[in-house]
Amino acid sequence: MGCSDIINRLYAQIEELQNPMTAATAESKTYQFQAEVSRLLDIVANALYSNKEIFLRELISNASDACDKLRYRALTEDGLMSSNQELSVLLEPDPEARSLTVTDNGIGMNEADLQDTLGAIGRSGTAKFMEALENSKDSNLIGQFGVGFYSAFMVADLVTVETRKAGEEQAWRWQSDGKGDYSIEPIGSRPVGTRIILSLKEDASEYAERQRLEHLVKKYSDHIVIPVQMPAEKQDVGEEGEAGQESDEWLVTLNTASALWTKPKSEIAKEEYASFYKSAAGAWDEPWETLHFNVEGHLEHTGLLFIPTARPFNLFEPDRKNAIKLYVKRVFITDDCQELAPAYLRFMRGVIDSSDLPLNVSRELLQASPILNLIRKDVTKRTLSALKSRAKKDAEGYDAFWGTFGAVLKEGLYEDPDQREPLLELARFRSSTQDGWVSLADYKARMAEGQSAIYYLVGEDLETVKRSPHLEGFKAKGVEVLLLTDPVDSFWTSVVGDYQDTPLKSVTRGADDLAAIKSGEDASEESASEPVKEGDFAELIAAMKEALEADVKDVRLSERLTDSPVCLVADEGDMDMQFARMMAAHGQEIPKQKRILEINPKHATIKALKERPAQLDDSVQLLLDQALIMEGEAPRDATLFAQRLSRLMA
Ligand code: ADP
């Protein structure tokens, strides 16, 4: 055996391992679905009861995407499409055979495409998605997540795909009953494009009825730009029509098939916008805000953009991709153009149609295009100003938006310094003294006399943060603290120093300046409680410093504590503690920063310690561990901690 033979066999073996084949004939090969697909299919076929009808929207949307892709590729490759070829999607119901066929003349698939796309799910977060799907039983999720093809198995017990890829000779048949495996075989010639034949389940015979399909296309796919057609009914055609002869006259178009964004605003009803949003974004919620604009002059483009009401599935996937579709002069170019909008607006959906870009624009050209840069600026400005006016007009609705997308928008605070000011105006926060969401402007207006900073506390979740010892002094003084609990909060607070000249300050950092703040409520209390004499604690502090030297930077009296005996704070110029924890949790190497231990001179434990230095050692070590635990961290050494605690209890 020659060297190349061995290599060939090796490759064949690797391929076999990657695509386990369970049976093979000369022509047809059977493959196992990827484990995730099998599980998904099981849920789809057996557990999804609501909204099965959306399978049609998914198949039509795939067919229309395939047409878009062909048209786009044909711009740069000769011979892929004849000049007069009309792209379309054809629905052929057959009530007698209880089947529905969906055919497109788009890009088609070859053997590898079939294996890669119809046998596997190539995306992250699948497990989480399937959990959600299983729990909600709502089939709408399936389209959202981009595994729409499999929704066919909600209504069909056998799915056959016959397809030929543009530019290739060989056609293929993919077939599966959705129960673990699928087969692929080469078939005789067929036109370029894809035909999907659904053998409908007994309880899904309605999808072989014309009227039902007409209704569904209107409902879900009216704004697909490619015509969705159905053969005319026999009586529509007339007796003399020859059966089997395909001609446009025999077809009726079921959808409006127009680029909605090119129509003037005044001619578009709210419902039309909503239905366009749903079909363009594969969404099922109503748009929360619609932006339809036309830019003319130096730059020419039209935009029809939507802010969803509900959170799309992949919002927090690491790639942070936006999903706005780019068209050039009404020809679809791509739905993966990251230059169209900043990542912090990735919840936006819809279309940008540019007249400035060339039709055969390549990916490289897109990335470098100054035009897209200008479009992105325009999209950003428009979106933020739409949000601003909505916040003014409809505070309650805006709060709901913020609850859904605020965490994403806040990414802009550190990523886009140009928009920092408007974003700070748009931001809303939880507060230690107010219910609901508050803005920085509201906070400023409420600031107490003598208060010179906007205080915030970053933590993992609202409940923990609310109980934090760092808040005690502020609570006692009635001073408001913003409570920040999104992961992104650690980041933006490390770069945003102030809001309209008022510094933003973490309550876990530095010495606090509570003493300077006057507050009506506690003035009397303050004078009533006896003042602390610092000198009284000097000895205790010195002893504690010595005992804890290895672990803390300093020990000092606290003004921020009222109920807890101790807490840890970061030194003035040091990293915020939550930020440091988060970086560490993400495996980032950060220089170890010692923190400052503050002690509460009014607390019984501290007072007692002052009087009984004999017990100092165990108690001091325990106090530091206690401060760590209250920060949500582990004690330094669990065994030592337990031993000390037992000793003290004994
Ligand atoms: P999505 O469309 O979100 O990628 P689907 O599960 O609906 O997810 O489809 C998976 C893939 O299968 C598509 O991305 C596409 O590559 C391919 N596909 C599905 N239907 C067709 C079709 N009619 N023509 C060509 N390719 C198709």
Side-chain angles (χ1 to χ4, degrees):
M1 198 182 328
C3 207
S4 53
D5 284 342
I6 298 177
I7 292 173
N8 285 347
R9 274 197 17 201
L10 203 65
Y11 278 135
Q13 275 172 2
I14 292 172
E15 194 175 272
E16 237 171 70
L17 281 176
Q18 285 168 342
N19 299 301
M21 228 194 289
T22 49
T25 65
E27 297 276 82
S28 162
K29 294 178 189 167
T30 305
Y31 301 90
Q32 213 101 62
F33 280 117
Q34 189 192 30
E36 269 111 33
V37 178
S38 276
R39 209 184 125 209
L40 176 66
L41 285 175
D42 188 48
I43 303 173
V44 165
N46 302 311
L48 297 184
Y49 305 111
S50 70
N51 262 324
K52 288 189 181 188
E53 62 190 31
I54 61 107
F55 84 92
L56 189 65
R57 173 185 77 185
E58 298 302 322
L59 295 189
I60 291 176
S61 152
N62 281 349
S64 145
D65 288 350
C67 292
D68 283 338
K69 279 183 202 159
L70 176 60
R71 179 153 56 190
Y72 180 53
R73 250 186 67 188
L75 292 171
T76 49
E77 277 175 60
D78 286 342
L80 283 189
M81 247 176 105
S82 56
S83 57
N84 59 354
Q85 183 181 337
E86 258 216 50
L87 295 165
S88 68
V89 182
L90 180 67
L91 304 182
E92 294 166 288
D94 183 343
E96 268 142 53
R98 207 169 69 222
S99 75
L100 169 64
T101 304
V102 181
T103 308
D104 66 70
N105 51 356
I107 189 88
M109 288 174 273
N110 60 22
E111 188 181 21
D113 293 337
L114 285 170
Q115 268 179 25
D116 292 346
T117 58
L118 301 190
I121 313 179
R123 53 181 309 160
S124 57
T126 313
K128 231 165 91 190
F129 156 72
M130 284 203 271
E131 213 171 281
L133 192 64
E134 228 160 355
N135 291 338
S136 88
K137 308 263 185 282
D138 186 348
S139 42
N140 268 311
L141 293 173
I142 204 172
Q144 276 270 308
F145 194 69
V147 288
F149 171 76
Y150 300 116
S151 66
F153 288 98
M154 289 192 292
V155 298
D157 42 27
L158 182 69
V159 177
T160 309
V161 180
E162 293 175 357
T163 180
R164 189 180 129 212
K165 190 160 185 166
E168 297 182 16
E169 281 310 311
Q170 184 62 57
W172 299 92
R173 177 184 292 126
W174 178 104
Q175 195 168 56
S176 177
D177 61 3
K179 296 204 176 86
D181 53 30
Y182 60 95
S183 64
I184 296 180
E185 63 185 316
I187 52 173
S189 182
R190 57 152 281 125
V192 164
T194 303
R195 168 194 295 266
I196 299 181
I197 305 146
L198 306 177
S199 306
L200 296 167
K201 293 180 180 177
E202 240 174 78
D203 62 359
S205 56
E206 62 195 283
Y207 303 113
E209 284 164 23
R210 298 180 60 90
Q211 280 180 342
R212 184 84 172 100
L213 296 174
E214 281 166 15
H215 170 77
L216 288 178
V217 171
K218 269 279 163 218
K219 181 168 173 187
Y220 292 115
S221 311
D222 200 31
H223 293 289
I224 294 277
V225 184
I226 308 276
V228 179
Q229 301 176 315
M230 192 148 67
E233 273 187 291
K234 294 240 165 54
Q235 58 265 38
D236 298 345
V237 180
E239 288 301 309
E240 66 279 13
E242 267 181 63
Q245 187 187 328
E246 283 196 22
S247 135
D248 278 359
E249 289 166 49
W250 294 57
L251 300 174
V252 281
T253 298
L254 308 180
N255 60 337
T256 309
S258 78
L260 187 70
W261 61 91
T262 57
K263 282 212 293 186
K265 266 185 186 178
S266 55
E267 289 172 23
I268 307 176
K270 198 170 162 225
E271 296 71 39
E272 268 182 290
Y273 277 130
S275 101
F276 178 82
Y277 160 70
K278 288 177 194 177
S279 73
W284 77 97
D285 55 338
E286 298 295 314
W288 180 77
E289 182 72 56
T290 303
L291 287 78
H292 188 184
F293 52 90
N294 195 8
V295 177
E296 279 171 347
H298 175 56
L299 196 67
E300 288 192 11
H301 60 262
T302 303
L304 177 49
L305 299 176
F306 302 91
I307 300 174
T309 306
R311 197 182 260 187
F313 236 94
N314 48 3
L315 202 58
F316 291 103
E317 277 179 19
D319 60 11
R320 305 197 301 145
K321 278 190 172 182
N322 82 59
I324 298 173
K325 295 185 178 176
L326 175 66
Y327 282 71
V328 171
K329 302 179 191 84
R330 297 183 53 178
V331 175
F332 172 79
I333 305 294
T334 175
D335 56 5
D336 184 13
C337 177
Q338 298 313 307
E339 290 72 24
L340 278 177
Y344 65 88
L345 295 181
R346 62 184 173 278
F347 49 84
M348 303 285 291
R349 294 292 181 265
V351 170
I352 295 287
D353 189 345
S354 162
S355 308
D356 303 310
L357 291 164
L359 265 173
N360 56 356
V361 62
S362 67
R363 189 165 288 269
E364 294 71 38
L365 213 116
L366 277 178
Q367 271 161 7
S369 166
I371 293 166
L372 284 179
N373 202 11
L374 293 170
I375 293 180
R376 183 175 61 240
K377 285 199 169 132
D378 183 52
V379 166
T380 308
K381 217 178 72 207
R382 282 173 196 280
T383 308
L384 297 190
S385 85
L387 287 173
K388 186 176 167 189
S389 71
R390 190 72 189 264
K392 214 186 235 169
K393 281 198 305 239
D394 168 23
E396 209 174 298
Y398 182 77
D399 284 353
F401 157 81
W402 187 262
T404 313
F405 296 116
V408 178
L409 216 60
K410 279 188 286 188
E411 293 169 14
L413 286 170
Y414 72 94
E415 281 183 346
D416 192 352
D418 288 348
Q419 301 299 335
R420 199 167 280 168
E421 279 306 313
L423 284 168
L424 282 174
E425 295 294 346
L426 289 171
R428 297 289 181 270
F429 305 92
R430 297 295 184 194
S431 142
S432 63
T433 60
Q434 313 288 317
D435 290 333
W437 294 102
V438 304
S439 68
L440 290 173
D442 293 342
Y443 182 104
K444 256 191 101 159
R446 278 193 294 266
M447 269 168 50
E449 202 190 325
Q451 180 179 350
S452 58
I454 295 171
Y455 293 105
Y456 65 84
L457 173 58
V458 188
E460 237 158 72
D461 63 87
L462 209 55
E463 286 318 304
T464 322
V465 171
K466 277 183 179 164
R467 284 197 304 264
S468 164
H470 296 287
L471 285 183
E472 291 172 4
F474 291 84
K475 267 191 210 149
K477 282 245 175 184
V479 175
E480 181 171 7
V481 177
L482 299 175
L483 308 175
L484 315 183
T485 56
D486 288 316
V488 59
D489 290 324
S490 290
F491 290 97
W492 72 262
T493 50
S494 67
V495 296
V496 178
D498 55 61
Y499 164 72
Q500 299 203 343
D501 300 328
T502 306
L504 287 158
K505 193 164 175 197
S506 165
V507 297
T508 64
R509 193 179 317 164
D512 63 53
D513 26 36
L514 276 171
I517 304 176
K518 292 203 175 42
S519 144
E521 293 164 39
D522 83 332
S524 52
E525 226 177 272
E526 184 90 329
S527 51
S529 75
E530 52 184 283
V532 173
K533 287 199 211 96
E534 289 207 21
D536 290 355
F537 291 88
E539 211 174 309
L540 174 65
I541 289 179
M544 288 179 79
K545 269 190 206 169
E546 201 187 320
L548 299 174
E549 201 180 5
D551 297 304
V552 301
K553 199 170 187 177
D554 197 7
V555 178
R556 69 182 177 210
L557 291 185
S558 177
E559 272 204 64
R560 75 189 85 214
L561 294 174
T562 59
D563 302 336
S564 306
V566 284
C567 74
L568 281 165
V569 300
D571 204 359
E572 195 69 53
D574 284 353
M575 209 181 267
D576 182 78
M577 299 199 296
Q578 176 66 11
F579 185 66
R581 273 194 289 270
M582 186 151 126
M583 298 299 273
H586 284 83
Q588 298 288 323
E589 290 258 348
I590 45 166
K592 186 148 176 53
Q593 282 176 344
K594 280 198 210 167
R595 288 167 287 185
I596 296 169
L597 184 71
E598 288 198 351
I599 61 172
N600 178 1
K602 293 174 190 158
H603 196 280
T605 311
I606 302 296
K607 282 186 191 160
L609 265 187
K610 184 163 72 89
E611 306 307 329
R612 281 179 292 162
Q615 293 204 345
L616 208 59
D617 201 41
D618 275 345
S619 311
V620 166
Q621 299 297 339
L622 278 173
L623 278 172
L624 176 57
D625 282 334
Q626 182 183 338
L628 284 165
I629 292 170
M630 284 192 298
E631 286 300 322
E633 297 175 32
R636 290 157 297 167
D637 179 324
T639 317
L640 270 180
F641 175 74
Q643 285 169 354
R644 284 177 178 139
L645 194 62
S646 312
R647 269 207 297 272
L648 207 69
M649 288 197 300

